[in-house]
Amino acid sequence: MEQTKALHALEPFLALTKSASSPLAAIDLINRATSAPNTYIFTELLLTPQIQSLATASASGGEYPPASYLRLLEIFSYGTYHTYTSTSSLPPLTEAQTLKLRQLSLLTLARDPTQLNYANLIQVLELSSARELENLVISAIYAGLLVGTLDPNNQLVCISSVMPLRDVAPSSVPTMISALREWSDRCTSTLSSLEKQIANIKADAAMRQKSDRDWDQRVKFMVETVNDIPGKDERTGRRVGNRKGGGGEAVKRGWQLEDLDNGEMDVDDDADGDLVERGNARLKKRGTGGVR
């Protein structure tokens, strides 16, 4: 959101480049753009032909050569306040330009949390006190440039996120390309390793499925073999099972026949008992012994 806002703030100055036909007009445009509120991205302005022409423009009678203003705009694009102070022959900054360049420098320094202690920031930003540093950080937070907190007890500035408002210095492009290539190689290696692991998992799963199928077939064969072997039912003592694998049904029929036979035998036993008692009674009448 802040990036879009910054781009919109730069649009009027991009439109004015069409009429900046002289070095003085281009220099004035740079001073106005770097001093205006909400302008934090300068790449599009820096790449315009009118601004780039300052690199070869002849001195126009000013105190500083035109190329120094081009260098100043480059520092606002991807440099820091320390870059400005360590570069000679640059035009002086206004109060608004100084504040903005220090705010942008905070975004760059936030890449390395080890640099965000009070002592280092006061030194690289050339501030006079911790209070001045805290006011700078607060102004950057309210401007939407970063999200962070102050830790006066530990003398630290804790920055959790920054807006993407800084441009990439041309000298850092090869380093970025190298880092991206290394990252790409690591991704390729990781993907290759994952593919191998997936292939091994699929192979193991296929082996387990085959093993389960073989075990099921073996169990089925063993069950059929056991059923084909003739044997005796434990309750009836009768032989069950046959060569055609009918042992299971035979066992069921054996249980049914047993129940039926037991019932019939109970009836027969009662009938035989009555006959024996009748025979004994007749024999007693005749004077002979009964059947025991």
Side-chain angles (χ1 to χ4, degrees):
M1 188 64 181
E2 293 299 330
Q3 188 179 36
T4 303
K5 185 178 178 180
L7 290 173
H8 289 332
L10 188 65
E11 289 177 356
F13 301 100
L14 293 175
L16 290 173
T17 58
K18 298 177 181 179
S19 60
S21 57
S22 66
L24 288 177
I27 291 171
D28 180 67
L29 190 58
I30 290 174
N31 287 330
R32 292 169 59 186
T34 54
S35 301
N38 300 323
T39 54
Y40 297 101
I41 299 177
F42 303 98
T43 301
E44 293 185 30
L45 180 62
L46 180 63
L47 295 178
T48 58
Q50 293 81 358
I51 300 299
Q52 287 295 317
S53 65
L54 294 176
T56 58
S58 59
S60 56
E63 184 179 357
Y64 297 93
S68 64
Y69 289 91
L70 176 62
R71 177 56 180 156
L72 179 64
L73 187 58
E74 291 174 348
I75 292 174
F76 271 88
S77 295
Y78 46 79
T80 63
Y81 190 80
H82 179 70
T83 307
Y84 169 78
T85 57
S86 60
T87 304
S88 61
S89 302
L90 292 179
L93 299 177
T94 64
E95 184 177 351
Q97 287 176 321
T98 300
L99 174 63
K100 180 174 295 186
L101 186 54
R102 282 172 171 165
Q103 289 174 337
L104 292 173
S105 300
L106 272 177
L107 304 184
T108 301
L109 295 171
R111 299 172 184 172
D112 185 3
T114 61
Q115 297 185 8
L116 297 180
N117 57 80
Y118 276 34
N120 181 68
L121 291 175
I122 290 173
Q123 179 181 359
V124 297
L125 297 176
E126 297 190 11
L127 300 172
S128 58
S129 64
R131 182 59 181 173
E132 191 175 358
L133 172 63
E134 292 172 351
N135 290 337
L136 174 65
V137 174
I138 292 171
S139 68
I141 293 174
Y142 277 100
L145 304 181
L146 56 86
V147 177
T149 58
L150 294 169
D151 185 1
N153 291 332
N154 296 314
Q155 296 287 288
L156 293 173
V157 177
C158 304
I159 297 178
S160 57
S161 65
V162 298
M163 298 302 105
L165 301 176
R166 299 253 65 189
D167 300 318
V168 179
S171 59
S172 64
V173 172
T175 303
M176 293 181 62
I177 293 175
S178 177
L180 289 173
R181 285 177 178 171
E182 291 179 0
W183 174 79
S184 177
D185 293 339
R186 288 195 300 269
C187 290
T188 302
S189 177
T190 301
L191 289 175
S192 177
S193 177
L194 289 175
E195 289 175 355
K196 290 181 180 179
Q197 294 181 16
I198 292 172
N200 292 335
I201 291 172
K202 289 182 177 180
D204 292 341
M207 291 181 61
R208 288 195 299 269
Q209 291 178 357
K210 183 178 182 301
S211 178
D212 292 341
R213 288 195 301 267
D214 293 343
W215 175 255
D216 292 340
Q217 292 176 359
R218 183 178 179 185
V219 171
K220 182 178 179 181
F221 174 77
M222 293 175 65
V223 171
E224 292 177 351
T225 303
V226 170
N227 288 338
D228 289 343
I229 299 175
K232 288 186 178 182
D233 185 87
E234 294 181 358
R235 294 186 61 186
T236 63
R238 299 184 180 184
R239 296 176 64 83
V240 295
N242 52 47
R243 295 180 181 178
K244 296 182 179 181
E249 295 295 330
V251 171
K252 294 180 180 178
R253 290 196 296 271
W255 282 91
Q256 294 173 356
L257 290 174
E258 178 196 7
D259 295 340
L260 180 61
D261 291 346
N262 287 340
E264 292 178 353
M265 287 302 295
D266 291 341
V267 173
D268 293 345
D269 290 344
D270 293 340
D272 292 344
D274 292 339
L275 291 175
V276 171
E277 290 179 359
R278 292 175 184 174
N280 289 338
R282 291 175 181 175
L283 290 173
K284 288 179 180 179
K285 288 180 179 183
R286 294 178 181 178
T288 59
V291 179
R292 294 182 175 84

PDB file of all heavy atoms in Angstrom, residues 85-101:
ATOM      1  N   THR A  85      27.407  11.059   3.270  1.00  0.00           N
ATOM      2  CA  THR A  85      28.448  11.777   4.011  1.00  0.00           C
ATOM      3  C   THR A  85      29.849  11.336   3.619  1.00  0.00           C
ATOM      4  O   THR A  85      30.816  12.106   3.803  1.00  0.00           O
ATOM      5  CB  THR A  85      28.262  11.569   5.523  1.00  0.00           C
ATOM      6  OG1 THR A  85      28.279  10.160   5.820  1.00  0.00           O
ATOM      7  CG2 THR A  85      26.937  12.159   5.987  1.00  0.00           C
ATOM      8  N   SER A  86      29.976  10.124   3.093  1.00  0.00           N
ATOM      9  CA  SER A  86      31.303   9.634   2.704  1.00  0.00           C
ATOM     10  C   SER A  86      31.634   9.934   1.254  1.00  0.00           C
ATOM     11  O   SER A  86      32.737   9.581   0.783  1.00  0.00           O
ATOM     12  CB  SER A  86      31.398   8.120   2.939  1.00  0.00           C
ATOM     13  OG  SER A  86      30.432   7.437   2.167  1.00  0.00           O
ATOM     14  N   THR A  87      30.726  10.542   0.534  1.00  0.00           N
ATOM     15  CA  THR A  87      30.962  10.903  -0.869  1.00  0.00           C
ATOM     16  C   THR A  87      31.218  12.408  -0.948  1.00  0.00           C
ATOM     17  O   THR A  87      30.435  13.222  -0.441  1.00  0.00           O
ATOM     18  CB  THR A  87      29.751  10.529  -1.744  1.00  0.00           C
ATOM     19  OG1 THR A  87      29.479   9.141  -1.591  1.00  0.00           O
ATOM     20  CG2 THR A  87      30.033  10.827  -3.209  1.00  0.00           C
ATOM     21  N   SER A  88      32.282  12.760  -1.588  1.00  0.00           N
ATOM     22  CA  SER A  88      32.652  14.178  -1.678  1.00  0.00           C
ATOM     23  C   SER A  88      31.945  14.859  -2.845  1.00  0.00           C
ATOM     24  O   SER A  88      31.423  14.203  -3.764  1.00  0.00           O
ATOM     25  CB  SER A  88      34.167  14.308  -1.830  1.00  0.00           C
ATOM     26  OG  SER A  88      34.592  13.664  -3.013  1.00  0.00           O
ATOM     27  N   SER A  89      31.958  16.169  -2.798  1.00  0.00           N
ATOM     28  CA  SER A  89      31.444  17.017  -3.877  1.00  0.00           C
ATOM     29  C   SER A  89      29.956  16.808  -4.152  1.00  0.00           C
ATOM     30  O   SER A  89      29.504  16.828  -5.312  1.00  0.00           O
ATOM     31  CB  SER A  89      32.244  16.808  -5.174  1.00  0.00           C
ATOM     32  OG  SER A  89      33.615  17.081  -4.962  1.00  0.00           O
ATOM     33  N   LEU A  90      29.182  16.595  -3.118  1.00  0.00           N
ATOM     34  CA  LEU A  90      27.732  16.485  -3.269  1.00  0.00           C
ATOM     35  C   LEU A  90      27.071  17.749  -2.721  1.00  0.00           C
ATOM     36  O   LEU A  90      27.557  18.353  -1.757  1.00  0.00           O
ATOM     37  CB  LEU A  90      27.201  15.258  -2.521  1.00  0.00           C
ATOM     38  CG  LEU A  90      27.595  13.896  -3.086  1.00  0.00           C
ATOM     39  CD1 LEU A  90      27.022  12.784  -2.221  1.00  0.00           C
ATOM     40  CD2 LEU A  90      27.145  13.731  -4.541  1.00  0.00           C
ATOM     41  N   PRO A  91      25.958  18.143  -3.306  1.00  0.00           N
ATOM     42  CA  PRO A  91      25.276  19.354  -2.819  1.00  0.00           C
ATOM     43  C   PRO A  91      24.712  19.122  -1.424  1.00  0.00           C
ATOM     44  O   PRO A  91      24.410  17.984  -1.040  1.00  0.00           O
ATOM     45  CB  PRO A  91      24.169  19.571  -3.853  1.00  0.00           C
ATOM     46  CG  PRO A  91      23.968  18.240  -4.492  1.00  0.00           C
ATOM     47  CD  PRO A  91      25.292  17.557  -4.474  1.00  0.00           C
ATOM     48  N   PRO A  92      24.544  20.162  -0.646  1.00  0.00           N
ATOM     49  CA  PRO A  92      24.001  20.002   0.712  1.00  0.00           C
ATOM     50  C   PRO A  92      22.523  19.620   0.686  1.00  0.00           C
ATOM     51  O   PRO A  92      21.811  19.865  -0.294  1.00  0.00           O
ATOM     52  CB  PRO A  92      24.212  21.376   1.331  1.00  0.00           C
ATOM     53  CG  PRO A  92      24.213  22.308   0.169  1.00  0.00           C
ATOM     54  CD  PRO A  92      24.856  21.558  -0.963  1.00  0.00           C
ATOM     55  N   LEU A  93      22.083  19.039   1.765  1.00  0.00           N
ATOM     56  CA  LEU A  93      20.695  18.596   1.883  1.00  0.00           C
ATOM     57  C   LEU A  93      19.894  19.607   2.686  1.00  0.00           C
ATOM     58  O   LEU A  93      20.395  20.231   3.630  1.00  0.00           O
ATOM     59  CB  LEU A  93      20.621  17.230   2.581  1.00  0.00           C
ATOM     60  CG  LEU A  93      21.338  16.060   1.891  1.00  0.00           C
ATOM     61  CD1 LEU A  93      21.229  14.818   2.763  1.00  0.00           C
ATOM     62  CD2 LEU A  93      20.777  15.802   0.496  1.00  0.00           C
ATOM     63  N   THR A  94      18.642  19.732   2.314  1.00  0.00           N
ATOM     64  CA  THR A  94      17.722  20.518   3.122  1.00  0.00           C
ATOM     65  C   THR A  94      17.296  19.686   4.321  1.00  0.00           C
ATOM     66  O   THR A  94      17.596  18.483   4.414  1.00  0.00           O
ATOM     67  CB  THR A  94      16.492  20.933   2.307  1.00  0.00           C
ATOM     68  OG1 THR A  94      15.766  19.747   1.939  1.00  0.00           O
ATOM     69  CG2 THR A  94      16.893  21.695   1.053  1.00  0.00           C
ATOM     70  N   GLU A  95      16.559  20.309   5.237  1.00  0.00           N
ATOM     71  CA  GLU A  95      16.096  19.583   6.417  1.00  0.00           C
ATOM     72  C   GLU A  95      15.166  18.435   6.024  1.00  0.00           C
ATOM     73  O   GLU A  95      15.251  17.332   6.585  1.00  0.00           O
ATOM     74  CB  GLU A  95      15.387  20.556   7.357  1.00  0.00           C
ATOM     75  CG  GLU A  95      14.943  19.922   8.668  1.00  0.00           C
ATOM     76  CD  GLU A  95      14.297  20.920   9.609  1.00  0.00           C
ATOM     77  OE1 GLU A  95      14.346  22.138   9.326  1.00  0.00           O
ATOM     78  OE2 GLU A  95      13.730  20.479  10.640  1.00  0.00           O
ATOM     79  N   ALA A  96      14.277  18.674   5.070  1.00  0.00           N
ATOM     80  CA  ALA A  96      13.356  17.627   4.612  1.00  0.00           C
ATOM     81  C   ALA A  96      14.121  16.495   3.932  1.00  0.00           C
ATOM     82  O   ALA A  96      13.808  15.307   4.124  1.00  0.00           O
ATOM     83  CB  ALA A  96      12.317  18.222   3.662  1.00  0.00           C
ATOM     84  N   GLN A  97      15.116  16.827   3.117  1.00  0.00           N
ATOM     85  CA  GLN A  97      15.919  15.801   2.450  1.00  0.00           C
ATOM     86  C   GLN A  97      16.717  14.979   3.464  1.00  0.00           C
ATOM     87  O   GLN A  97      16.843  13.756   3.327  1.00  0.00           O
ATOM     88  CB  GLN A  97      16.863  16.454   1.444  1.00  0.00           C
ATOM     89  CG  GLN A  97      16.191  16.982   0.196  1.00  0.00           C
ATOM     90  CD  GLN A  97      17.168  17.710  -0.708  1.00  0.00           C
ATOM     91  OE1 GLN A  97      18.056  18.439  -0.233  1.00  0.00           O
ATOM     92  NE2 GLN A  97      17.032  17.518  -2.018  1.00  0.00           N
ATOM     93  N   THR A  98      17.242  15.637   4.483  1.00  0.00           N
ATOM     94  CA  THR A  98      18.022  14.930   5.505  1.00  0.00           C
ATOM     95  C   THR A  98      17.148  13.924   6.257  1.00  0.00           C
ATOM     96  O   THR A  98      17.548  12.766   6.472  1.00  0.00           O
ATOM     97  CB  THR A  98      18.629  15.935   6.495  1.00  0.00           C
ATOM     98  OG1 THR A  98      19.480  16.840   5.783  1.00  0.00           O
ATOM     99  CG2 THR A  98      19.439  15.221   7.561  1.00  0.00           C
ATOM    100  N   LEU A  99      15.944  14.356   6.634  1.00  0.00           N
ATOM    101  CA  LEU A  99      15.039  13.455   7.342  1.00  0.00           C
ATOM    102  C   LEU A  99      14.668  12.262   6.463  1.00  0.00           C
ATOM    103  O   LEU A  99      14.682  11.113   6.917  1.00  0.00           O
ATOM    104  CB  LEU A  99      13.789  14.213   7.773  1.00  0.00           C
ATOM    105  CG  LEU A  99      12.675  13.366   8.401  1.00  0.00           C
ATOM    106  CD1 LEU A  99      13.165  12.715   9.695  1.00  0.00           C
ATOM    107  CD2 LEU A  99      11.437  14.220   8.661  1.00  0.00           C
ATOM    108  N   LYS A 100      14.363  12.533   5.217  1.00  0.00           N
ATOM    109  CA  LYS A 100      13.947  11.446   4.318  1.00  0.00           C
ATOM    110  C   LYS A 100      15.080  10.457   4.087  1.00  0.00           C
ATOM    111  O   LYS A 100      14.864   9.228   4.080  1.00  0.00           O
ATOM    112  CB  LYS A 100      13.456  12.027   2.998  1.00  0.00           C
ATOM    113  CG  LYS A 100      12.993  10.964   2.008  1.00  0.00           C
ATOM    114  CD  LYS A 100      12.387  11.589   0.778  1.00  0.00           C
ATOM    115  CE  LYS A 100      11.103  12.337   1.125  1.00  0.00           C
ATOM    116  NZ  LYS A 100      10.414  12.825  -0.095  1.00  0.00           N
ATOM    117  N   LEU A 101      16.286  10.957   3.865  1.00  0.00           N
ATOM    118  CA  LEU A 101      17.397  10.046   3.603  1.00  0.00           C
ATOM    119  C   LEU A 101      17.718   9.205   4.838  1.00  0.00           C
ATOM    120  O   LEU A 101      18.066   8.025   4.714  1.00  0.00           O
ATOM    121  CB  LEU A 101      18.626  10.850   3.170  1.00  0.00           C
ATOM    122  CG  LEU A 101      19.841  10.026   2.719  1.00  0.00           C
ATOM    123  CD1 LEU A 101      19.464   9.048   1.623  1.00  0.00           C
ATOM    124  CD2 LEU A 101      20.975  10.955   2.261  1.00  0.00           C
TER     125      LEU A 101
END
